């Protein structure tokens, strides 16, 4: 489905932006959350897992409990 492919491409773009912006810090959680939502919507479990892992790695520096919960999903 063309719409699904477009949403998956957008999810990948957002995830890439979030990963590239990892060291800048501003708005990263929102990028990760939007990417995760689009991966979930399109049924891309691998993309969703990649996003959750990246979010967990970012959060581990700020909130270890939240990071643990993300990585366990």
């Amino acid at each position: 489905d063309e719409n699904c492919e477009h949403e998956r491409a957008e999810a990948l773009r957002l995830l890439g932006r979030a990963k590239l912006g990892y060291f800048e810090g501003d708005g990263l959680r929102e990028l990760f959350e939007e990417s995760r939502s689009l991966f979930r919507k399109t049924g891309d479990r691998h993309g969703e897992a990649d996003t959750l892992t990246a979010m967990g790695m970012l959060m581990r520096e700020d909130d270890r409990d939240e990071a643990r919960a993300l990585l366990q999903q």
Side-chain angles (χ1 to χ4, degrees), residues 19-66:
K19 286 182 173 183
L20 286 173
Y22 179 81
F23 296 102
E24 295 176 21
D26 293 334
L28 292 180
R29 184 176 182 97
E30 291 80 15
L31 289 173
F32 281 127
E33 288 290 353
E34 189 173 350
S35 177
R36 176 183 171 199
S37 175
L38 287 169
F39 279 128
R40 180 174 284 169
K41 183 177 179 181
T42 61
D44 185 337
R45 302 285 293 158
H46 180 75
E48 187 178 354
D50 189 24
T51 304
L52 286 168
T53 300
M55 287 173 70
M57 300 300 285
L58 176 66
M59 296 296 132
R60 76 175 183 194
E61 296 177 11
D62 296 327
D63 186 339
R64 290 195 181 272
D65 291 334
E66 184 175 7

